[in-house]
Amino acid sequence: VHALSTAACDDSEPCTVPDSCTGGICVGVKTSQCPICDLLFGASAGKLTQFQIGSSGKFGQGIDVDGDPKTCAPEANCADGVDNSAAVLAGFLNQPLINGVNQGTLTFVAEFAGYVGQGVPFTLNLYYAEMAAESKLAGCKANADVCKWLIGQSALSAQCKPKFSFSDALVKDGKLQAGTKDTVFAMDADLLGAKNATLYVKGARIQGIVEFGADKKTIVALQGVLGGAVPKTAVVDMVNAVDVGMFGGLGLSKKEVLELIDQILALDIDVDGDGSKESASIGIRFSAVGAVLLGTVK
């Protein structure tokens, strides 16, 4: 049994500092010493227009994380085997997620790399991005129009590989599936106003519905759920790192929020296999519109 650690480590890249264990992998922060990534991307992509925690453990709000159709979470608000114990956190965390998407500080773009049509496996890469100047000048609406985007350097590793990637994506009968029990989705919590913290989902899987263009082949829209398990320690670390002002609208102090999380967050998933449940199932709802990837930010 190997317990998850947050200790310092070495990712074998001398240009990344500091390196630490995140969700079972060694993650380093790129510095100016790392090479600038200059990449070209595929023609098929989508910009996420919604990214927030599901409000219940029912269809469309989460997935069957533990693989047992007889269980669901949270117990008082779930059905059909859907696990989303973290739904109780939606009231605390969704507003900064919604604000981030609407204000452009949390901008994810998905690349459907190698996608040629239904039934053929491809790679789904997720990137932080910023709108290209020509789309800004044209008044392109980020959450409604097909805009042009540039991938941020922070979305790429020191080897210029995508940090977030699902290598086994597949669209069949208009349904998208991606991810395995070993996939880790990690999001820099500073995008939510938290410093030096990472919110990560272990065993991340995507289930969604795809909308095609007139050619019945090109993906023009997508909606679905990213599900998995998030360790309680990751939630606590993120809340501790968030500016206290984020909770002003709740009428609660950071200490009171942490106490409330300790009381209401039910741990229903054993990620590290030691026989003790240390993580909460989570469902993150998302939707996307078409996008064009021009390249990387220099």
Side-chain angles (χ1 to χ4, degrees):
V1 174
H2 301 277
L4 292 173
S5 169
T6 57
C9 57
D10 183 2
D11 67 357
S12 300
E13 291 293 339
C15 70
T16 60
V17 178
D19 302 341
S20 61
C21 296
T22 300
I25 58 177
C26 189
V27 178
V29 178
K30 291 172 63 176
T31 69
S32 58
Q33 302 303 311
C34 293
I36 298 297
C37 301
D38 187 8
L39 305 176
L40 297 176
F41 300 92
S44 188
K47 191 272 179 184
L48 269 62
T49 59
Q50 178 194 53
F51 191 82
Q52 57 188 273
I53 298 173
S55 59
S56 71
K58 297 181 180 179
F59 181 77
Q61 304 293 322
I63 68 172
D64 184 357
V65 175
D66 62 9
D68 186 350
K70 297 180 181 179
T71 65
C72 66
E75 290 186 357
N77 191 13
C78 67
D80 303 320
V82 174
D83 302 305
N84 183 20
S85 184
V88 296
L89 302 180
F92 305 114
L93 300 181
N94 273 357
Q95 196 55 55
L97 288 170
I98 293 170
N99 291 345
V101 172
N102 291 340
Q103 296 169 7
T105 56
L106 182 60
T107 304
F108 277 114
V109 174
E111 177 195 17
F112 311 125
Y115 176 78
V116 295
Q118 297 197 66
V120 180
F122 64 98
T123 300
L124 194 159
N125 299 317
L126 291 173
Y127 305 103
Y128 303 132
E130 66 178 57
M131 189 181 293
E134 59 187 282
S135 285
K136 290 181 181 178
L137 291 173
C140 195
K141 298 177 181 177
N143 294 331
D145 300 333
V146 178
C147 303
K148 296 178 180 180
W149 300 89
L150 296 170
I151 303 306
Q153 297 292 324
S154 62
L156 301 163
S157 70
Q159 304 90 2
C160 294
K161 303 293 184 181
K163 286 185 177 180
F164 318 136
S165 186
F166 297 83
S167 61
D168 57 349
L170 182 72
V171 175
K172 187 176 181 180
D173 299 326
K175 297 180 180 179
L176 168 68
Q177 291 192 348
T180 71
K181 62 182 180 63
D182 297 317
T183 305
V184 176
F185 176 84
M187 181 171 66
D188 297 335
D190 59 359
L191 293 168
L192 308 178
K195 298 298 181 183
N196 302 318
T198 302
L199 182 64
Y200 62 90
V201 178
K202 186 74 173 179
R205 285 174 287 152
I206 288 176
Q207 296 177 0
I209 303 295
V210 171
E211 181 180 335
F212 298 102
D215 60 2
K216 306 296 183 182
K217 176 180 175 181
T218 304
I219 297 175
V220 297
L222 173 67
Q223 63 178 354
V225 177
L226 185 155
V230 56
K232 182 179 179 180
T233 53
V235 176
V236 171
D237 288 346
M238 192 202 70
V239 173
N240 273 320
V242 169
D243 185 275
V244 68
M246 170 183 155
F247 305 111
L250 301 174
L252 299 173
S253 66
K254 183 181 295 187
K255 179 182 178 182
E256 289 171 327
V257 169
L258 288 169
E259 290 174 348
L260 192 55
I261 288 174
D262 189 57
Q263 294 171 10
I264 67 176
L265 183 62
L267 305 180
D268 59 331
I269 305 293
D270 176 15
V271 166
D272 56 23
D274 66 354
S276 177
K277 297 176 180 178
E278 78 299 308
S279 301
S281 55
I282 189 171
I284 301 176
R285 298 171 56 214
F286 66 86
S287 58
V289 296
V292 176
L293 302 183
L294 293 183
T296 52
V297 177
K298 300 297 188 290

